[in-house]
Amino acid sequence: MTHAKLNRELHIKYWQRCLNSLLPTGYTTTDSTRMSLGYFILSALDILSAPPLPSAQRTQIRNWILCCQHPSGGFCGSPNHKFPDAYYGDGKEEMDPANLPATLFALMSLGFVGRMEEVKRVKCLRWLKSLQRDDGSFGELVRQGRIEGGRDMRYCFVAVSVRWLLRGYIKIDSVEDIDIEALVAHIRAGQTFDGGVSESSQHEAHAGYTYCAIACLSLLGRLPHSSGAQTDSEISPGLTNISGTIRWLVSRQLQYHNEDDNSDDEGPGFEQSQNTGICANTEPPLESLLINENMFVGFNGRVNKRADTCYAFWVVASLSMIGEVELVDPEPMRRFLTELTQHQIGGFGKCPGNPPDIYHSYLGLAALATLGEADLKQFDATLCISVEQRQRLEILGEEALTSRNYTCFSREE
Amino acid sequence: MGKYEGDPAWDDVVPIPQDDGEGALAQIAYADEYAEAMGYLRAIVAAKEHSSRVLDLTVEIISMNPAHYTVWLYRASTIFALDHPIQQEIEWVNEVALDNEKNYQIWHHRQLLIDHLYPSISSDPVALQKLANSEIAFLTLMFNSDSKNYHVWSYRQYLVRKLNLFNASEIKSIEALLKVDVRNNSAWSHRFFIVFSNPEYATPGSAATAYDPGIPDALLDCEIEFSKAAIFEAPQNQSPWNYLRGVLRKGGRPLATQECFASEFAKIESEEEVKSSHALDFLADLWNEEGETEKADKALKLLGDKYDPIRKNYWEWRRKALKAA
Ligand SMILES: [Zn+2]
């Protein structure tokens, strides 16, 4: 039996390549979310305790992030989503509006190379407030007075994280806070009959949305205790069916049989997504589920889907925030990630045999770090960064509040 | 010379280039065509131009970056400003959707188109029916290549609400998908939505996890039978077990009403007769509800030791909770 191991040096090399060389043209389809790629790169190097960046490079990166800041508050996904500064003014601010996820990733990235003082806090928080709908949900941008984007849990989580980073709950400069009760009500309404969370209770439960809902509640201090005990009866807990949610989360684990893998997306190789026919007799006998010491356990994001690297993080992190991470046996998951999706050039692929990509390479590390991987920094599942970086962000956020420039930006302009 | 730079039709436009600057983060090797087209788009947007050449330009950018959210929004406002035929746009969107299955923006765009079209046909039942038919036909095509496409299902739910499709033909099309793959959890979830959110009888705002007194008994019976038949077909399939639990909760019926049924798939007295770990889980909850904790404990122990060992920690945790209660 080979011993499952994370190859730290190889991962550092992979991420340094992502940082220092041009991403291939194929990444053009991620141009609109380029800021998130930047955050994954900087944070991965942090989790891996890679050598620090030269200060000239830090300055360049900081300047690039700030050049994506929108004059009306918030950030754009890449310079391609923004006009050169000279074009703004006289009502043109809405030509290419700021984007909510891009704003979170910009602020998080800035935490690695700069300070929060450089952010237009008041404008950003006012803009954030303008993204919230009456039903409590958030859109991703506002354009000509219209809130655009889905109502899913991702934007809820992102909005609350931005509020946390900028200390939006502290009342200064008469910025009105977002409507927390409406937001929690929206999250409560997104819980599905089978215990997961979706964009609404009428859609299919999804591990990514479940994570976003739980992380959002965690930042708001609105997670119920897993035993069901209520601490404060005045406040409605954010999850309506905690035991159902735990059952749904642990059910995302599935045993992976290496030998009969093939590349067909929903094909054999996975116990629970094996059958595309209707005959019961094509099911594996239940006894074949018996445990063995070389077992690989992956995670899927929805019932009866195939295992995918990123869902290891979304599920394990969700359980960790609820305080029940030990319900997952770490070794079989480590084996799945380190032996099957870890790539020989570093990084992780989506599924066994896939080439690495930035998104799955980051979430593979995040999953291992959440379970306490020795070679990685201690990890904060809620913000999906190292504990050390979370502490740094808290300090930067507090420091910035004492800076006149940061808190009074709108009055000076 | 770039494509637009050398095109007389674009002579009057001065592109607005954007510079990434030195040492940018996550630099992408943009194709020259992309950088050039983006420069022209910025110029067009700054001038608030809505014209047919804008439509051509957005087609080109979308072909290189279909996830570009503002280019879609600008295209939509141009279409509305020009009174461009919606049907023609939908046909184009169909092609793009089939080529970009993972893309979300296409479905948001389609929703804007339908929202725009709807008021003009809302009092014409024939036109509404025609629209419903053509939309459902296209979604069926999408489901042929991926019957679990999340964005397509989101759009389907929007359509059901918009055109009030809580009807027998919607149920039929779900059943057709389940016939092909009884493990299609997206189809199961959609069925739950169609059955339990039907405004004809469902209590408005009733949570998916809550009892709803508005649901007719006959309907509950029918859904219970439907999930049972699917379980007989594939006892180790999670989806119908979850569905059955969901139906019972909606109807306010105890799990114990299904003890006989669940026992068909798991007998704790004779271990070799366990055909489904989900049946054991169901029985464990049922016995716990009925105060038969010893039987519940035995079912959970069997799950951890033998029938679902990859979740052993979870089953042991459930056993502990039983004893603490
Ligand atoms: Zn993934």
Side-chain angles (χ1 to χ4, degrees), chain A residues 169-188:
Chain A
Y169 45 85
I170 297 175
K171 248 196 141 48
I172 40 172
D173 292 313
S174 65
V175 187
E176 212 187 320
D177 197 4
I178 58 173
D179 186 341
I180 299 298
E181 290 315 310
L183 173 58
V184 173
H186 175 69
I187 295 173
R188 284 173 62 87

Side-chain angles (χ1 to χ4, degrees), chain A residues 18-19 21-25 27-32 34 37-39 41-42 57 60-61 64-65 67 76-84 87 91-92 95-97 99 109 140-141 143 146 148-150 155 191-194 197-206 209 226 240-241 243 246-248 250-255 266 272-281 283 286-287 289-291 295 297 302-305 324 326-329, chain B residues 15-31 34-35 38 41-43 45-48 50 64-70 73-74 77 104-105 108 112 115 146 148-151 153-154 157 161 178-186 188-190 192-193 197 206-209 232-239 242-243 245-246 249 271-272 274-278 281-282 285 305-311 313-315 317-318:
Chain A
C18 291
L19 178 70
S21 47
L22 279 177
L23 299 171
T25 306
Y27 271 93
T28 301
T29 55
T30 63
D31 187 28
S32 311
R34 210 175 122 187
L37 303 182
Y39 150 77
I41 293 170
L42 296 175
Q57 189 174 19
Q60 283 180 334
I61 292 174
W64 181 80
I65 297 167
C67 101
C76 305
S78 87
N80 264 327
H81 277 274
K82 197 176 160 282
F83 284 77
Y87 286 84
K92 281 185 178 166
M95 286 188 298
D96 217 346
N99 177 280
S109 301
E140 65 173 325
L141 57 93
R143 189 171 160 272
R146 219 185 112 108
E148 305 280 1
Y155 302 138
Q191 284 153 58
T192 56
F193 70 92
D194 53 6
V197 180
S198 186
E199 59 182 20
S200 83
S201 66
Q202 294 151 350
H203 204 318
E204 184 182 12
H206 184 287
Y209 291 160
S226 57
T240 55
N241 175 17
S243 60
I246 291 172
R247 178 213 305 280
W248 187 86
V250 297
S251 301
R252 302 285 53 76
Q253 298 172 90
L254 58 155
Q255 194 174 351
E266 296 302 329
Q272 314 198 17
S273 61
Q274 175 154 0
N275 192 358
T276 51
I278 53 168
C279 307
N281 59 14
E283 280 205 328
L286 202 51
E287 279 71 15
L289 295 174
L290 280 181
I291 204 152
M295 193 171 58
V297 171
R302 294 184 259 159
V303 174
N304 289 336
K305 292 275 285 180
E324 299 295 351
E326 64 289 348
L327 296 184
V328 168
D329 184 3
Chain B
I16 303 176
Q18 178 64 291
D19 184 14
D20 227 6
E22 271 295 296
L25 193 50
Q27 283 193 69
I28 297 169
Y30 298 120
Y34 182 70
M38 287 301 300
L41 178 76
R42 270 187 289 271
V45 173
K48 296 197 166 80
H50 295 294
M64 292 182 275
N65 178 13
H68 192 302
Y69 48 89
T70 37
L73 295 172
Y74 200 72
S77 46
Y104 160 75
Q105 277 77 18
H108 184 66
L112 294 180
D115 281 343
D146 178 4
K148 301 176 179 182
N149 187 317
Y150 207 81
H151 303 311
W153 280 110
S154 295
Q157 295 184 339
R161 275 193 221 97
L178 289 177
K179 206 160 203 156
V180 177
D181 178 8
V182 73
R183 288 174 179 74
N184 184 342
N185 195 61
S186 306
W188 282 101
S189 297
H190 191 64
F192 199 88
F193 162 60
S197 299
S206 169
T209 50
F232 274 117
E233 212 175 273
Q236 192 49 22
N237 176 11
Q238 252 174 94
S239 297
N242 286 342
Y243 192 83
R245 283 171 182 266
R249 202 183 305 110
E271 295 178 11
E272 45 300 335
V274 175
K275 295 192 206 99
S276 165
S277 65
H278 307 302
D281 180 15
F282 188 95
D285 275 339
D305 290 349
K306 192 162 176 193
Y307 292 107
D308 192 34
I310 68 167
R311 271 167 281 276
N313 294 0
Y314 171 66
W315 302 122
W317 178 79
R318 288 260 302 267

Side-chain angles (χ1 to χ4, degrees), chain A residues 22-76:
Chain A
L22 279 177
L23 299 171
T25 306
Y27 271 93
T28 301
T29 55
T30 63
D31 187 28
S32 311
T33 49
R34 210 175 122 187
M35 197 59 85
S36 68
L37 303 182
Y39 150 77
F40 289 138
I41 293 170
L42 296 175
S43 189
L45 290 167
D46 171 57
I47 306 170
L48 287 157
S49 306
L53 304 183
S55 89
Q57 189 174 19
R58 285 165 53 97
T59 307
Q60 283 180 334
I61 292 174
R62 193 203 66 171
N63 290 343
W64 181 80
I65 297 167
L66 290 171
C67 101
C68 293
Q69 183 162 215
H70 196 277
S72 307
F75 287 76
C76 305

